[in-house]
Structure formats: structure tokens, C-alpha cells
Amino acid sequence: MLIEPMIQQLQALKLHGMAESLQRLSTEHAEMDFPARLSLMIEHEAAARQAQRMGQRLRWAKLPQSACLEDLDTRTPRGIDPATLAQLKTMRFIDERLNVLICGACGVGKSYLASALAHAACRADHSVRFFRLPRLSEELARYAAQQKRSAFLRQIAKADLLLIDDFGLTPLSDQTKRDLLEILDDRYDRKSTIITSQLPVDQWHAYLDEPTLADAILDRLVHNSYRLNLKGGSMRKHKALKNEPAARD
């Protein structure tokens, strides 16, 4: 039987991984029997689909940087509890619908760690959305002006993991505070949220500056969360000094 028509049929059926594998097997591994070839083609198709899903997850997440847990600098002292980090790496916090609050000074590595956890969640086939809080506020206002606010909130609510970066960086309007409460209420005990902030958690109530809303927002965030309080100097400065060429004599 001619191989090319079979390859075309597999591509027409959108079995691109199997088609690619069959094309390669037609010139290699001639000694393999049919069951072994079929098994290899199925494995290739599964891997291709997994890679495609991963790409879709990352495009939808719109993470700000390519960060991986494998590349996380654990040698520089930053106060990261190894046991807590090990628990987070398992991604069980998403299955358990718990939150992660990452606090620390500017440049200490909060956004990198949060993005690395979000990237790992994508690899584990979870849906992820990323927003800087100032940009989320702008998006909420834009969708409200288009009378599509409810649809946007439903989109956010569906994400297995929501990452909100730069919490506490700029003042929030009253409407944004109410929207934030609605987002977190939709997710409470249903989905997981990661928050990064330069402000310690005990200053979040004062930042929100409206006691009733602040109580409601923090009640949905803090009590069912892992907390990481990063310490030390700027990792950007540390990296720049590390990469600086040695002074010449």
C-alpha cells in the first residue's frame, strides 16, 4: 500500500502527529512489526496533542515572562520556605482550590515565581489567566463600556488559576474594588488565585481603604491561602552583577 495516501488521510482527519510519525517510519525502522509501529504513531499523536494544548494554554494565559520552576533560583536566600514551595510545585493547591499570596520588595522575584507556578499549571493542563491589577482595572472599564462586563467576568471565573500581579501598586476606584470582590467571590472555594504584592498582607486592608469591601475581599483571599514572604535585595540587580564582565587589569 502506498504511504502517501495514508499520510494525506491522517492529515485530513487532523491526526497530524500520526501522519508525521508514519512519514518518518516509512523510511526508518523497517524492521518494526505493525503493532510496534502503530504504538509509536499513537504515542507521537498524543505528544503532539499535548504540545498543542500547552501552546493554547500559554496563549490564553498571556504570561508576562517565560518562567519555569526548574529555573527558579533557590540558592539566593530569599526566605522561601522549601516545604511550602515543594507543596506548590505539586499543583495540588489548584485541585484543593487554595490561593497563593506572594509578597516582597520590588525586584525580589515575586512575578517570576508566580509566572513559574502559572506556567507549571499550564503544563499540568490547567487553564490560566494573567493580569496586572492596573491592566485588569482598565479591561473591566473597557468591557463595561461595551456592555460586555458580565461575559468578561464569566471568562475570568472559568480559569482554573487566576494570577493578579502588582496588587497594591496603584489606588483602585470604587468600581474596581466592587469588581474585584465579584471576581474573588466567583472563585471562592471553586478556583485558585495567585496574588503578588509589594505590600505585606497585613497592609492590604488599609490599601483597599473601604472597611466593608476590604473585609469581604480579604475573607475570600487570605484564610484559604499559602503565603510566601520573599526577602532580600533585587534579583534583577543580583543577576546584572553576576553577568557583569570581570574587570580588566
Side-chain angles (χ1 to χ4, degrees), residues 115-127:
S115 294
L117 288 170
H119 187 275
C122 288
R123 285 190 346 216
D125 214 19
H126 292 293
S127 56

Side-chain angles (χ1 to χ4, degrees), residues 112-168:
Y112 187 93
L113 175 55
S115 294
L117 288 170
H119 187 275
C122 288
R123 285 190 346 216
D125 214 19
H126 292 293
S127 56
V128 177
R129 288 298 299 270
F130 165 85
F131 294 97
R132 290 182 62 251
L133 185 53
R135 179 60 60 85
L136 177 59
S137 180
E138 292 173 4
E139 288 290 284
L140 287 162
R142 184 169 68 86
Y143 278 98
Q146 297 173 354
Q147 298 185 339
K148 296 180 180 178
R149 174 179 168 276
S150 295
F152 182 54
L153 291 175
R154 284 196 297 271
Q155 262 186 43
I156 295 174
K158 288 179 182 178
D160 296 328
L161 178 63
L162 173 66
L163 168 51
I164 300 177
D165 200 14
D166 288 335
F167 182 87

Side-chain angles (χ1 to χ4, degrees), residues 96-99 157 181-193 216-225:
E96 295 168 355
R97 299 175 292 280
L98 300 176
N99 303 320
L181 174 57
E182 190 163 345
I183 288 169
L184 295 173
D185 188 57
D186 286 342
R187 302 184 64 77
Y188 179 70
D189 208 27
R190 298 182 186 91
K191 304 288 183 178
S192 296
T193 303
I217 288 171
L218 296 183
D219 185 59
R220 288 157 176 79
L221 267 181
V222 175
H223 304 301
N224 57 338
S225 66

